[in-house]
Amino acid sequence: MPSFEEIAEAYQPMISSILRKTFIYKDHETFRQVAMIALWKASMNYEESKGSFAGYAYRCMYGSVLDELKKSFKDVPMEDSYFISIEAEAVSEQIKLVINSLPLPYQQVLYLSYFHGLTAEEIATAIGLSTAGVKKRKKKALSQLRELYFNHS
């Protein structure tokens, strides 16, 4: 087996490909290092009887990059003050105005679902409609809402 320096040099294009495939657009060096560590571990743990090294190395690096990406999303603060802003409130008000322009049955399903947190089954019981009917109505309501919102903005 070649030295790790030779392996690292040979697999740089594969690492770049993994970063593009996972849409890494910032912290390139961090993710490149994660992939290099995974490549090193792969070179240490590789068993020739289990297949090609390239495939094994790719899976190891890709998995490590995805794991690191998941960890980076967990670091986003989730307290209420993070999400509350003047712009968010303005968007919320715009959405409420657009919802109010929908037909009443659609408004009802959206308000019960998103503002009161009811499930499709609970909404069905509350308004006397089948669960499938509620889901279909919600889907149509969201479609119209999207269309109206983007035409309204």
Side-chain angles (χ1 to χ4, degrees), residues 29-79:
E29 231 12 76
T30 301
F31 287 98
R32 190 168 289 281
Q33 288 302 315
V34 166
M36 289 292 284
I37 291 168
L39 179 62
W40 176 75
K41 287 179 182 178
S43 71
M44 301 305 277
N45 299 327
Y46 173 64
E47 294 177 24
E48 199 169 317
S49 63
K50 302 226 175 174
S52 76
F53 178 72
Y56 179 66
Y58 182 86
R59 286 189 304 277
C60 290
M61 291 187 294
Y62 186 71
S64 293
V65 167
L66 287 180
D67 289 344
E68 186 66 25
L69 198 55
K70 287 177 193 171
K71 279 193 247 174
S72 70
F73 282 122
K74 289 180 182 175
D75 293 338
V76 174
M78 291 302 207
E79 62 269 358

Side-chain angles (χ1 to χ4, degrees), residues 47-130:
E47 294 177 24
E48 199 169 317
S49 63
K50 302 226 175 174
S52 76
F53 178 72
Y56 179 66
Y58 182 86
R59 286 189 304 277
C60 290
M61 291 187 294
Y62 186 71
S64 293
V65 167
L66 287 180
D67 289 344
E68 186 66 25
L69 198 55
K70 287 177 193 171
K71 279 193 247 174
S72 70
F73 282 122
K74 289 180 182 175
D75 293 338
V76 174
M78 291 302 207
E79 62 269 358
D80 289 339
S81 63
Y82 181 80
F83 293 103
I84 297 175
S85 70
I86 295 170
E87 186 177 326
E89 289 175 19
V91 169
S92 179
E93 288 304 313
Q94 281 183 325
I95 290 173
K96 284 180 183 177
L97 287 171
V98 175
I99 288 174
N100 288 336
S101 68
L102 292 173
L104 192 56
Y106 292 162
Q107 287 180 36
Q108 189 178 31
V109 169
L110 291 178
Y111 276 112
L112 290 172
S113 179
Y114 293 107
F115 294 100
H116 295 287
L118 299 180
T119 65
E121 292 80 17
E122 293 169 332
I123 295 170
T125 303
I127 64 174
L129 195 64
S130 69

